[in-house]
Amino acid sequence: MVDALALTGRPDEAHALFDRLLALRTDLGLLAEEYDPATGRQLGNFPQAYSHIGVIGSALLLQQLDSGAFAAEADVLLAAGV
């Protein structure tokens, strides 16, 4: 969702959602595969590599958009080693 907002010209909303996502991490910065907003708990496999790859990809995309050095999302993922 962060990437979709960023790529459709809504960078402020993308950054706000990204910040909310980062606030959900554990004290070690880890994420599970699911989050239950009703209980505020992470669920499922933990830690979840795919969740972290998504965060990394979104961070790189937001950074590139902010710096004006935009690359296609596929290029961002390739740069992250995905």
Side-chain angles (χ1 to χ4, degrees):
M1 185 70 170
V2 170
D3 293 0
L5 290 168
L7 292 170
T8 56
R10 298 162 64 183
D12 293 338
E13 292 173 78
H15 279 283
L17 184 58
F18 189 73
D19 290 341
R20 283 181 49 204
L21 171 63
L22 293 180
L24 300 176
R25 297 173 300 164
T26 68
D27 55 343
L28 297 175
L30 301 175
L31 293 167
E33 66 182 334
E34 296 179 48
Y35 177 76
D36 182 359
T39 63
R41 295 181 58 201
Q42 295 192 43
L43 306 170
N45 294 327
F46 182 86
Q48 179 54 261
Y50 295 116
S51 297
H52 294 98
I53 292 297
V55 170
I56 292 167
S58 292
L60 289 170
L61 177 63
L62 290 173
Q63 187 273 329
Q64 286 187 340
L65 289 171
D66 289 347
S67 70
F70 175 74
E73 186 174 26
D75 294 337
V76 172
L77 295 176
L78 288 174
V82 178

